[in-house]
Amino acid sequence: MTTERREPAQNAGERAMLEGWLDYHRQTLAWKCEGLTDEQLRTASAEPSELSLMGLVRHMAEVERGWFRKVLVGDDPGPVYYSEQDPDGDFHVTEDDTWTEAYATWQAEIDTARRNAAGFGLDELSKGRSRFTDEPFNLRWIYTHMIEEYARHNGHADLIRERLDGATGD
């Protein structure tokens, strides 16, 4: 699989621009994971951190799930990888965890996010709330936050990938 990254058009409207940059950053994380073995994807960045590329993908699946399911539409299916007992479980990968499963879960959450967002205008307020505030969010804020979240973690992914095999790139 070769991940194709596309920046949004420079003259796109606001919604197309936000969705385009979010997709670009989703594609960037997939690109950073491309061509690696499960073992490499589970490899932590550096002691004492447990941060790995597979952990980042699992984390972003949870983030997509939280913002576009729980917050935006008010559906709370519960977490996939973390629990009350292990709040960072998305980052705690084991030898039993596979790229196939992590990637499929992440892509399923992205598909759900797109479907859920399609039913909202940028100014429309969320039906659910986050764990941080009891105030609703508009879709514009959620898109902007998601772009920021991916951009930050893609910086982590850059460093992890370079450590694994020397590959660099934007």
Side-chain angles (χ1 to χ4, degrees):
M1 169 179 92
T2 300
T3 301
E4 184 180 327
R5 296 182 315 147
R6 294 174 302 280
E7 288 185 16
Q10 294 172 336
N11 60 353
E14 182 181 14
R15 185 173 186 129
M17 184 76 67
L18 290 168
E19 290 174 348
W21 278 112
L22 180 53
D23 281 342
Y24 176 82
H25 282 289
R26 288 166 171 157
Q27 294 157 1
T28 298
L29 183 55
W31 176 55
K32 289 296 173 180
C33 296
E34 202 167 87
L36 297 175
T37 65
D38 280 9
E39 182 180 356
Q40 289 172 308
L41 290 163
R42 288 189 297 260
T43 300
S45 57
E47 295 275 335
S49 176
E50 295 180 81
L51 190 63
S52 67
L53 289 170
M54 190 179 299
L56 284 173
V57 166
R58 288 165 37 127
H59 174 68
M60 292 313 300
E62 293 284 15
V63 172
E64 295 270 0
R65 187 177 184 88
W67 284 104
F68 289 103
R69 284 189 185 206
K70 183 177 182 185
V71 175
L72 187 62
V73 300
D75 173 29
D76 190 1
V80 176
Y81 299 111
Y82 70 89
S83 66
E84 206 171 284
Q85 298 77 25
D86 187 6
D88 291 323
D90 39 355
F91 292 114
H92 298 156
V93 297
T94 70
E95 288 186 19
D96 294 332
D97 295 311
T98 67
W99 173 248
T100 300
E101 184 281 326
Y103 183 81
T105 299
W106 179 43
Q107 292 305 302
E109 291 302 330
I110 289 171
D111 290 344
T112 299
R114 287 183 179 128
R115 279 193 310 276
N116 288 349
F120 282 75
L122 291 177
D123 293 320
E124 195 170 344
L125 295 177
S126 64
K127 299 193 183 325
R129 304 294 184 266
S130 81
R131 61 187 172 137
F132 306 110
T133 179
D134 197 38
E135 297 296 317
F137 296 83
N138 68 28
L139 179 59
R140 179 183 290 103
W141 191 97
I142 293 171
Y143 275 151
T144 303
H145 173 68
M146 290 297 295
I147 292 165
E148 174 271 331
E149 182 88 9
Y150 271 102
R152 178 166 33 110
H153 289 312
N154 283 338
H156 299 133
D158 285 339
L159 295 172
I160 296 168
R161 180 66 191 247
E162 185 174 9
R163 179 177 181 268
L164 290 171
D165 68 359
T168 60
D170 63 343

